[in-house]
Amino acid sequence: MASCSSLLSEDQFLCAICLEVFNDPVSTPCGHNFCLACISFYWENAAVCQCPICKTTFVRKPDLKVNTFISGLAAQLMSLQVVEASVRISDLHRAKPGCRILCDVCTDSMNEAVKSCLECLTSYCDTHLEPHQRVAGLKRHTLVEPLENLEERICKKHNRLLVMFCKTDDLVLCDLCVKLHHLTHDAVPVERAYRERKDSLGRTEAKVLQMIQNRLQKVSEIKESVKQREEDERDVWVSTVEDLTDLVSDIQESQAEIIRVIEEKQKAAREQADDFIADIESEMEELQMTNTKLRDLMDMEDHLCLLKVSPSQSRLPQTRDWSTVSVNSRLSVEHMRTSISQSVSQLRNTLDEMNAEIKKYSYDTQMSNVEALMAAQQHEVDFRLDSSTAHPLLVLSGGGKRVSYGTMIQRLPNNPNIFTEHLAVLGERGYNSEFYFQVCVGQKTEWCLGVATESIQRRGVLRRRDCGLWAIWFIPDKFETFDSPNVPVHWGKVETVGVFVDYDGGQVSFYDVATATLIYSFTECVFTERLYPYLNPCDNEYGNNSDPLILLPVGHTV
C-alpha cells in the first residue's frame, strides 16, 4: 500500500501545544490551529490572550468553533495510518517461502511442522505426525503443506481449505461449497480475488488521497480568496468611512453656514427695523408738536389773531412715505427654504441608493444560491425510472417519469433487484461525474429523495449510516436527512426539488427550485461507485399521499 505520507504529513496535523494529532481542532483569527481543549487551557493560565505560535494578542478571547474540515482530514489521516499498520501486521504473519511454521504439539523443543491436518486443525512435526501415518482412523485425515492460522483457512461445514471467493455473495468458500451452493455465481480462486481486491483498494486509496489533496488545495484557495476578499473589503471600508466622514463634515459646515447666514440676516433685519422705528418715532414727535400747534390755533376765537398767524405754522412737517417700507422679505426666505429642501431631498435619494446597494450586497449569499443553482442545472441529465428496482407496491407511469404509492402489488416480490422494505425505485442510469435532476413533489405529505449506490441493500430495512444512500426525508413542514432522523435541517414546504451531485467534490446538494434556496448539502463524501437517482414517494402515514413524484425537466412546470 502506498504510504499516505506521500501526500499528507502527520506533522501538518499535530497540535503545537500537546504535539498530538488534532482532537476537535479549532482555528484562531491569526490562522493557526490547536486542539480545543489545549488552547482553552493555555488561555486560562495566560496573563494575556495571545496565539502560542505567532504571539498575536487578542483584545477579547475569540469564540472558537471546531473546524470540521480539518477534523475530517485528521480522521482520514488516522484511518489511513491504521490501514497501513494492519497491512504491515498481516504481512508479518503471512506464511512466506522460508518462514518456519512450528509444530502445535511440541512443548520442550519447538520443532518445525512438516504437515498440517485439515481435520485436526493442527500442524505437526515429523515426530508428532507419526500417529497419522500409523493409526487407521488418522490415516483418512487430509494432510497438506504447513499452513499458518489453520482454523481461519478451513471451511467449517466441509473441513476443506477455503480456496474460492464468491463475488456474488462476497464470501470465502471451499471448492465443495461452490459446487453445492454457488455453482451459478461468479466464483474465482482466492489468489485472484486477493489480487483484484488489492488492486481495488489501491485504486480507492489513490482516489481518497487525491481527494484529500484536492481538498487541501481547495482549503488553500479558499484561505487565499478569503484573505484577498478581506483586503478588498477593508479598502472599501476605509475609503467609505473616509468619504462619509468628509461628507458628514461638509454637511455640518453647510449647517453651520446656514445658521450663520440666517443669524446675520436676522441681525441686519433687527438693526434695520430699529432704524425705521427710530425714524418713525422722531417723525411722530414732530407730528405731535405740529398737532399741538394746530389745536392751539383752532382754539383761537379772535379772528384777526388767527388770520395774522403765518400760514407756515399750520403746514405739515416733511415726513417719509412709510407705506412702501418693509423688513419682511419673505420671497428670499422662501427661496432659500426651497433650495435647501431640494438639496436635502437629492441627498436623501443618494443615501437611499447607497443603502439599497448595501442591502443588495448583504443579500450576496442568496444571489450566490441562485448562481449555484443555475450552474448545477447546466449538468441536467435525462433518465427513466427502473421498474426492475421498484418496490412491489409502487405504481410507475408508462414513460418511467412518475412514481406513486399504491395499495395493490404491481410486480413480483421475489425479484432480487427490487426494494422489499423501502418504497423506493432507482433511475435506470448511474453516473460517476457531475449530474443534476429535478423532482416535483407537489403537495405530498411525505417523501424521500436523493442518490444511492448500485450496491445499496435492496432487501430488508436499510441501516441509517454508511448504507450507500444520500437522501433528504420530508415529513410535515420539516426536512431531515435519512441517516439522522429527528434532526431537522430545514423547515417549510417545497414543490420542486433540485438534486445536484458533485461527484469528484464529494457533495450532494438539494435546492428549493422556486426560491433557489439551499435545503441541505452532504459534504466530504467519498464515492467509489456510480450513483443512481433514488425516489421514495412513501405511504399514507401523514394523510393522503397518493400524489406522484414527477421527474421534471428544467424550465418545465406540471
Side-chain angles (χ1 to χ4, degrees), residues 29-96:
C30 57
H32 294 106
N33 304 309
F34 308 89
C35 299
L36 177 60
C38 293
I39 191 64
S40 299
F41 181 77
Y42 179 87
W43 280 341
E44 285 178 0
N45 296 276
V48 293
C49 186
Q50 62 178 199
C51 174
I53 296 178
C54 66
K55 303 304 179 184
T56 298
T57 300
F58 308 109
V59 178
R60 289 184 294 181
K61 183 178 178 181
D63 183 18
L64 302 179
K65 304 295 184 183
V66 174
N67 190 321
T68 56
F69 183 79
I70 296 178
S71 179
L73 288 178
Q76 290 185 14
L77 176 69
M78 295 294 291
S79 175
L80 288 172
Q81 290 177 335
V82 169
V83 171
E84 289 181 5
S86 300
V87 171
R88 288 195 297 269
I89 292 172
S90 63
D91 287 343
L92 289 174
H93 287 82
R94 185 181 297 114
K96 296 183 178 68

Side-chain angles (χ1 to χ4, degrees), residues 231-442:
E231 292 176 356
D232 294 342
E233 290 180 333
R234 190 179 295 110
D235 292 341
V236 173
W237 177 4
V238 172
S239 62
T240 300
V241 169
E242 290 178 352
D243 292 343
L244 291 178
T245 300
D246 292 342
L247 180 60
V248 170
S249 177
D250 292 343
I251 292 174
Q252 290 174 339
E253 289 181 4
S254 297
Q255 177 181 316
E257 181 66 14
I258 291 172
I259 293 173
R260 186 189 65 78
V261 169
I262 290 176
E263 288 179 343
E264 287 182 354
K265 289 290 185 181
Q266 289 177 340
K267 181 180 178 182
R270 283 195 299 269
E271 290 176 351
Q272 186 182 39
D274 290 342
D275 291 342
F276 287 161
I277 291 172
D279 291 344
I280 291 173
E281 288 178 346
S282 176
E283 288 186 357
M284 287 175 62
E285 289 179 359
E286 291 183 14
L287 290 171
Q288 192 67 37
M289 294 173 60
T290 300
N291 185 54
T292 301
K293 290 180 181 181
L294 291 173
R295 283 190 176 278
D296 291 341
L297 292 173
M298 290 175 65
D299 290 339
M300 287 184 180
E301 294 182 0
D302 188 335
H303 298 75
L304 293 176
C305 288
L306 179 62
L307 294 173
K308 290 180 179 180
V309 174
S310 174
S312 62
Q313 294 184 4
S314 62
R315 292 175 184 172
L316 291 174
Q318 188 174 359
T319 59
R320 184 175 179 177
D321 183 6
W322 295 102
S323 63
T324 61
V325 175
S326 173
V327 295
N328 184 13
S329 180
R330 293 184 61 84
L331 185 61
S332 62
V333 173
E334 287 300 324
H335 175 73
M336 183 174 66
R337 177 185 287 118
T338 302
S339 177
I340 293 175
S341 177
Q342 289 176 348
S343 298
V344 170
S345 177
Q346 292 174 357
L347 183 58
R348 287 189 182 280
N349 290 336
T350 302
L351 288 174
D352 289 341
E353 292 175 1
M354 183 179 70
N355 289 330
E357 288 298 321
I358 294 173
K359 186 175 293 186
K360 180 180 178 181
Y361 185 72
S362 70
Y363 289 158
D364 188 47
T365 299
Q366 177 64 22
M367 294 303 295
S368 295
N369 283 342
V370 173
E371 294 168 357
L373 177 59
M374 292 177 64
Q377 290 175 337
Q378 300 302 311
H379 301 278
E380 182 184 17
V381 293
D382 182 25
F383 61 90
R384 293 159 50 96
L385 298 175
D386 186 357
S387 60
S388 68
T389 66
H391 187 281
L393 292 177
L394 294 185
V395 179
L396 271 66
S397 66
K401 299 291 186 178
R402 298 174 178 238
V403 58
S404 58
Y405 170 67
T407 57
M408 301 291 291
I409 293 178
Q410 305 293 318
R411 55 192 59 79
L412 294 177
N414 58 356
N415 183 338
N417 293 324
I418 67 171
F419 289 92
T420 60
E421 292 291 334
H422 295 265
L423 297 168
V425 61
L426 299 180
E428 281 187 339
R429 296 179 57 191
Y431 305 89
N432 57 1
S433 58
E434 292 180 312
F435 69 97
Y436 173 88
F437 63 95
Q438 289 184 171
V439 178
C440 176
V441 299

Side-chain angles (χ1 to χ4, degrees), residues 466-524:
D466 302 324
C467 62
L469 175 63
W470 295 267
I472 57 172
W473 184 16
F474 174 78
I475 53 179
D477 296 326
K478 68 178 179 179
F479 295 81
E480 302 171 354
T481 60
F482 179 79
D483 59 355
S484 297
N486 303 318
V487 181
V489 297
H490 191 75
W491 297 90
K493 294 187 67 175
V494 300
E495 289 190 3
T496 303
V497 179
V499 184
F500 175 63
V501 176
D502 181 358
Y503 193 93
D504 293 331
Q507 185 165 316
V508 183
S509 301
F510 300 84
Y511 292 91
D512 178 352
V513 174
T515 62
T517 301
L518 179 64
I519 299 173
Y520 184 77
S521 281
F522 292 94
T523 59
E524 300 184 17

